[in-house]
Amino acid sequence: MEKVTFSILRYDPEKDKEPFFQDFQVELRRPGMMVLDALNQIRWEQDGTLAYRRSCREGVCGSDGLNINGVNRLSCMTHVEELQYPIVIQPLPSLPLIKDLVVDMDNFLDKYFSCKPYLISRTPMPDHEMLQSPEERRKLDGLYECILCACCSSSCPSYWADPEYLGPSALLNVWRFIIDSRDEGADERLEMLNNRHGVWRCHTILNCIEACPKGLNPTRAIGGLKKALVMARF
Ligand code: FES
C-alpha cells in the first residue's frame, strides 16, 4: 500500500517555544482520499494530540481552511492524489495561531459582522414575503455561497499588511447585501467602506479568487463596491 509523507506544522503553546514541522506517514487506503481523511488517520492512529478543525466534511461549514502545499484550500475538498508529495500542511497564514493547525478566527469574523451582514429595512416591513424577481435573485449568485472559511482573506497580502483591512471575504458579503433588492442599507454600508481600511486597500492582487474553494470572485465584488462609491459621489 502506497504511503505518503505529510509534513505538518505543530505548535503547542504550553510546551513549544516556536512552531516546527513533524512528518507522518499516511497509507493511501482507497482512491479519492481527501487531505481531511489523512489528518483523521494521523489523529486516530498515530497522534491523538494533533489539533485541526473540521465538521461537515463536504465543503459547507468552512471550518477546515488550511494552507496545503502553499495554497489555501479546504482539507475536505482537496484530493491527496492531486498534490505533490511530500504534502506540507500549515495553518492559514496571518491569522493568530492557537495550536497546531487551529487559528484564531475572532478578528476575521468580527470584521464580517461589522459589515452588517443582514437585510436592513427603513420602510415598515410588509405583511407578506419580500418577493424578488428571478433577475433580482440571480444577482446574488456567486455571492451568497461564501462559507467564511477565511481562505481568501488569509491569502491576501493587503490583509497581511493592514490588520484593520476588512478583507475580501467581508467585502464580498457587503456587496451581497448591497445589491439585494430587499435591502435598504447601502448608504450606511458604503460610507463605512470608504476609507483606507475599506475597499481602497484592495490592490487587485487576485489571490482571493484563486484561494476561494467555492469558486467565488471577491475582487469583482470589491470592484462593484468601488464603482458604487464613485457613483454615489456624483
Ligand atoms: Fe466543513 Fe470542510 S469540513 S467545509
Side-chain angles (χ1 to χ4, degrees):
M1 191 179 299
E2 186 182 3
K3 283 189 174 180
V4 174
T5 302
F6 279 71
S7 189
I8 299 178
L9 187 132
R10 305 298 307 271
Y11 177 62
D12 181 344
E14 292 187 358
K15 59 180 187 173
D16 300 323
K17 283 206 175 89
E18 52 190 51
F20 63 96
F21 282 95
Q22 184 176 6
D23 286 354
F24 295 91
Q25 301 300 312
V26 174
E27 292 177 348
L28 296 190
R29 293 178 185 162
R30 58 179 176 76
M33 258 182 75
M34 298 295 183
V35 170
L36 179 56
D37 297 322
L39 291 174
N40 288 339
Q41 195 185 116
I42 293 168
R43 183 175 161 86
W44 295 340
E45 299 175 14
Q46 300 185 46
D47 186 345
T49 69
L50 177 63
Y52 54 96
R53 288 198 180 102
R54 81 284 187 213
S55 180
C56 70
R57 205 166 169 256
E58 51 191 39
V60 176
C61 73
S63 63
D64 62 332
L66 292 171
N67 185 274
I68 302 171
N69 281 1
V71 178
N72 290 356
R73 329 170 192 232
L74 298 178
S75 69
C76 68
M77 301 289 284
T78 304
H79 286 275
V80 171
E81 287 142 322
E82 289 175 2
L83 299 169
Q84 282 199 324
Y85 306 150
I87 295 172
V88 180
I89 303 187
Q90 305 180 69
L92 290 177
S94 82
L95 302 180
L97 183 56
I98 296 176
K99 182 173 189 282
D100 294 339
L101 302 175
V102 177
V103 290
D104 186 345
M105 298 282 281
D106 281 359
N107 184 266
F108 169 81
L109 293 171
D110 285 348
K111 288 172 177 169
Y112 166 72
F113 288 116
S114 76
C115 293
K116 306 184 181 186
Y118 42 80
L119 292 175
I120 295 174
S121 186
R122 308 240 174 270
T123 49
M125 294 295 281
D127 55 5
H128 52 77
E129 298 115 311
M130 297 166 76
L131 298 178
Q132 288 187 304
S133 69
E135 291 73 31
E136 289 168 338
R137 166 60 189 80
R138 263 198 292 277
K139 287 183 183 172
L140 307 183
D141 288 342
L143 298 170
Y144 78 90
E145 300 94 329
C146 175
I147 55 174
L148 298 175
C149 63
C151 284
C152 63
S153 293
S154 62
S155 74
C156 171
S158 298
Y159 195 83
W160 304 339
D162 178 359
E164 292 181 55
Y165 175 41
L166 289 167
S169 174
L171 293 172
L172 176 132
N173 279 287
V174 182
W175 187 233
R176 174 255 174 273
F177 283 98
I178 285 179
I179 63 163
D180 192 312
S181 60
R182 301 163 295 180
D183 185 72
E184 297 171 322
D187 290 351
E188 67 183 89
R189 288 199 186 89
L190 283 173
E191 203 44 53
M192 203 169 57
L193 307 176
N194 193 18
N195 60 68
R196 65 197 179 98
H197 305 299
V199 293
W200 308 114
R201 180 61 71 188
C202 171
H203 299 303
T204 325
I205 297 167
L206 309 180
N207 280 11
C208 53
I209 303 172
E210 192 182 342
C212 179
K214 307 301 279 186
L216 310 184
N217 190 330
T219 306
R220 186 161 55 210
I222 295 169
L225 289 167
K226 287 177 175 172
K227 187 174 172 189
L229 270 167
V230 172
M231 298 301 283
R233 291 283 170 225
F234 298 99

